Amino acid sequence: MPGNSPSDVLVADGVCAVTTTVATPEDARRLAQAVLQQRLAACVQIEPITSHYRWQGALHEEAEWRLVCKTVARSVAGLLQLLQAQHPYELPQLLVQPLQASAAYADWVRQETLPG
């Protein structure tokens, strides 16, 4: 990844984070690799979490793995389509957040998500 200099200003330039969760580290790795192979994100971070939620009238507490995919706005639709198609959950969490990033990081994300 490129280095950041202190003079690098934050830009709101089409960089997004797409977030989802899965139940196993194997599913997290599988989805991350599929996303990166298709260049739909420049980076996928995977972290263990504990989720507390209500599902079908009952309270649940489950270990999950959160995937945060760093991408660009033009890749979001394809990324969501891939995640929906390959996700093991009946109702996956699919969140999209616009980000501010350093100019150098935003350039790197754009470069890594170019087709081919």
Side-chain angles (χ1 to χ4, degrees), residues 2-61:
N4 293 329
S5 79
S7 63
D8 215 1
V9 296
L10 293 181
V11 295
D13 197 16
V15 176
C16 301
V18 174
T19 306
T20 193
T21 57
V22 293
T24 69
E26 294 79 19
D27 281 336
R29 274 192 233 87
R30 177 182 56 79
L31 286 175
Q33 290 302 308
V35 165
L36 293 171
Q37 286 171 357
Q38 293 193 28
R39 299 184 72 93
L40 293 170
C43 170
V44 180
Q45 296 170 319
I46 299 172
E47 55 195 353
I49 61 169
T50 302
S51 292
H52 300 260
Y53 59 95
R54 184 183 309 275
W55 179 250
Q56 298 178 338
L59 294 177
H60 296 267
E61 178 181 340

Side-chain angles (χ1 to χ4, degrees), residues 97-109:
Q97 297 174 299
L99 301 175
Q100 287 187 317
S102 68
Y105 187 81
D107 286 344
W108 176 75
V109 172

Side-chain angles (χ1 to χ4, degrees), residues 71-104:
T71 192
V72 290
R74 68 175 149 66
S75 296
V76 168
L79 177 54
L80 292 173
Q81 186 177 28
L82 179 141
L83 291 173
Q84 185 71 48
Q86 296 190 20
H87 207 288
Y89 286 2
E90 177 184 341
L91 178 62
Q93 167 192 283
L94 297 171
L95 303 175
V96 180
Q97 297 174 299
L99 301 175
Q100 287 187 317
S102 68

